[in-house]
Amino acid sequence: MALIKCGECRREVSDRAVSCPQCGAPVAARAVVTTQVTAKTFKRDLIVGTAILCVGLVVLVAGFREHTTPLVVVGALLAALGGICILVARFRAWWHHG
């Protein structure tokens, strides 16, 4: 374990610390990268869930317009699946990042 100077307050901080205990400035670049990488995963999951929800809503509306029960059922299931995907992604992001 080596001591390095904080970029903000210039006090000595452990090189393994995520942030300076004195001023709170991030010390290790790996903490920022890890958060950015995991945030991309959650954003991807949100985009996929939103796409499924949108497709489900389009199919649902098409089923109502054409009075086709199977399309309505498929559209409702896709919309529900998309909504669940969005909720799960939001919960995972909250659970992981606090």
Side-chain angles (χ1 to χ4, degrees), residues 4-44:
I4 58 174
K5 294 223 182 256
C6 171
E8 295 289 322
C9 66
R10 307 303 297 165
R11 298 217 174 157
E12 289 188 341
V13 182
S14 168
D15 63 344
R16 295 183 182 183
V18 175
S19 63
C20 175
Q22 185 65 33
C23 68
V27 174
R30 67 178 184 263
V32 175
V33 171
T34 301
T35 302
Q36 289 172 346
V37 169
T38 56
K40 286 182 182 179
T41 302
F42 299 130
K43 288 177 185 174
R44 184 198 65 223

Side-chain angles (χ1 to χ4, degrees), residues 16-86:
R16 295 183 182 183
V18 175
S19 63
C20 175
Q22 185 65 33
C23 68
V27 174
R30 67 178 184 263
V32 175
V33 171
T34 301
T35 302
Q36 289 172 346
V37 169
T38 56
K40 286 182 182 179
T41 302
F42 299 130
K43 288 177 185 174
R44 184 198 65 223
D45 293 347
L46 280 174
I47 290 170
V48 168
T50 303
I52 293 171
L53 177 68
C54 290
V55 168
L57 290 175
V58 167
V59 171
L60 185 66
V61 169
F64 277 128
R65 284 191 177 183
E66 304 213 2
H67 303 291
T68 310
T69 304
L71 275 181
V72 172
V73 171
V74 169
L77 288 175
L78 281 174
L81 178 65
I84 290 170
C85 287
I86 291 170

Side-chain angles (χ1 to χ4, degrees), residues 79-92:
L81 178 65
I84 290 170
C85 287
I86 291 170
L87 289 175
V88 168
R90 294 296 299 155
F91 178 76
R92 286 181 56 224

